[in-house]
Amino acid sequence: MTLLTHLYTQRINVDLRHLRCFLAVAEEGGFTAAGRRLHLAQPTLTRTIKSLEESLGVQLFERSTRRTELTEKGEKLRENLGPLLGQLDRTLKDLREGEKLRVGFSWGLPEGLSRFAARFAEETGTGVEFVRCEIPQDGLGAGQVHVALLRGTPPPRNLRSRFLYEEPRIAGVPAGWELAARTELDWAELADLPLVVNTASGTTFPDMWPAGRRPAVGAECRNYDEWLEQVAAGLGVGTAPLSTARRYTHPSVHLVPLTGAPTVSAHLVYPSHGAHPQAARFVNEAWRASDELQT
């Protein structure tokens, strides 16, 4: 019976962290070099090895002021452990191969999100795939996507979320209207004009103006492409986040800067229960990198 077989037939409190720390000290020949390799402070590493020895009931290292040497049992553990951990690492890497985190969006991904996703994939081994959804939160509920980008209204309470940023709005005006020649429009002026409303994923609705002075609905749609076409057809004006309007244009729609308009908030959300194992990490790291997402 090998040392590892004997140890694992007992009730012992040992995890991979203990074993990786042991192997690093054994291979590096000391705690200082192993600490550098593992990016751990020497006292932390010393406590981990001591905890491993106490759990096993076996002394693994002979320590002196000048050197650290493996005991006979420590040497046996090192000989068995190296190949096992190598095989485990290869197995785990193979399991992650081809794994995808699907991120749902309705329109206008933040300009820097693709760069962030590529870096995330390189660091974690989990690729990121962007999936266009008419209603991203419905994509979450159906399991179509693991994370969703939501804009405008606060995220539903049954989802975990991270606020990313706020951005200004711009107005979309039919090219044939006199207003299209303006250098800017005020939010209050839109109350007197028919409004094209994206009912599925839009961020602009009549109730955002004061009661008694709200725009009439000129047309309804369910995605950004339809929104552009209905504005182009002269059915009304609309507003969209500035970044989206920059990326999606139409020859018959003029984009006019807005003053006095409420900003549009952007959030990343994921399920509170049963989320993809990498969803929280992706969302939290995107939140920390939010300043670069719009550039």
Side-chain angles (χ1 to χ4, degrees):
M1 179 182 291
T2 68
L3 177 61
L4 280 180
T5 304
H6 171 70
L7 293 175
Y8 279 98
T9 60
Q10 304 177 43
R11 292 178 176 268
I12 53 177
N13 185 25
V14 173
D15 57 31
L16 280 174
R17 174 178 57 88
H18 290 99
L19 299 177
R20 292 190 188 281
C21 285
F22 163 79
L23 195 59
V25 176
E27 291 178 346
E28 297 293 339
F31 286 80
T32 301
R36 286 195 297 266
R37 169 173 152 182
L38 298 171
H39 305 289
L40 288 176
Q42 187 170 332
T44 300
L45 184 56
T46 300
R47 287 194 299 270
T48 301
I49 296 300
K50 181 179 179 182
S51 173
L52 174 63
E53 291 179 324
E54 290 175 350
S55 295
L56 299 179
V58 171
Q59 185 176 357
L60 301 172
F61 294 99
E62 294 281 359
R63 303 168 180 82
S64 70
T65 56
R66 286 187 285 184
R67 64 175 184 248
T68 300
E69 293 183 346
L70 287 165
T71 64
E72 183 179 348
K73 290 188 176 180
E75 182 62 37
K76 288 182 179 180
L77 180 59
R78 185 195 65 77
E79 290 174 359
N80 285 275
L81 193 58
L84 286 175
L85 286 184
Q87 182 180 354
L88 176 61
D89 287 339
R90 289 189 296 274
T91 300
L92 295 178
K93 183 179 180 181
D94 289 345
L95 283 175
R96 289 196 300 268
E97 191 72 29
E99 181 66 16
K100 297 288 185 183
L101 180 74
R102 297 188 298 275
V103 179
F105 72 105
S106 54
W107 36 261
L109 282 171
E111 294 179 9
L113 192 59
S114 295
R115 294 193 301 272
F116 167 79
R119 187 168 72 243
F120 181 86
E122 184 177 351
E123 292 173 354
T124 65
T126 299
V128 179
E129 185 176 89
F130 293 108
V131 179
R132 189 168 180 178
C133 308
E134 218 166 68
I135 305 177
Q137 56 265 44
D138 287 355
L140 281 177
Q144 182 184 2
V145 297
H146 304 117
V147 174
L149 174 69
L150 302 185
R151 283 189 170 97
T153 56
R157 291 184 178 180
N158 64 326
L159 299 175
R160 297 187 183 276
S161 69
R162 280 288 194 181
F163 167 78
L164 296 180
Y165 55 80
E166 291 184 343
E167 62 178 309
R169 298 173 191 262
I170 197 165
V173 180
W177 288 16
E178 290 185 10
L179 289 176
R182 293 270 297 273
T183 57
E184 66 178 28
L185 288 170
D186 189 77
W187 176 258
E189 293 182 77
L190 303 187
D192 300 321
L193 301 169
L195 186 69
V196 176
V197 177
N198 179 346
T199 59
S201 57
T203 61
T204 309
F205 302 93
D207 61 6
M208 297 172 71
W209 282 264
R213 194 162 187 273
R214 291 174 175 167
V217 176
E220 292 185 347
C221 60
R222 291 186 60 82
N223 58 59
Y224 191 80
D225 293 324
E226 291 177 1
W227 180 89
L228 274 176
E229 294 298 338
Q230 292 184 350
V231 173
L235 299 180
V237 300
T239 84
L242 179 60
S243 63
T244 302
R246 282 179 183 157
R247 299 178 68 182
Y248 299 88
T249 59
H250 192 292
S252 297
V253 176
H254 282 206
L255 301 175
V256 183
L258 272 173
T259 60
T263 56
V264 182
S265 60
H267 297 78
L268 282 175
V269 303
Y270 61 99
S272 298
H273 305 287
H276 188 285
Q278 292 284 25
R281 178 174 177 178
F282 179 87
V283 169
N284 289 329
E285 292 188 8
W287 167 69
R288 284 191 285 270
S290 58
D291 287 345
E292 67 181 74
L293 295 186
Q294 296 183 84
T295 58

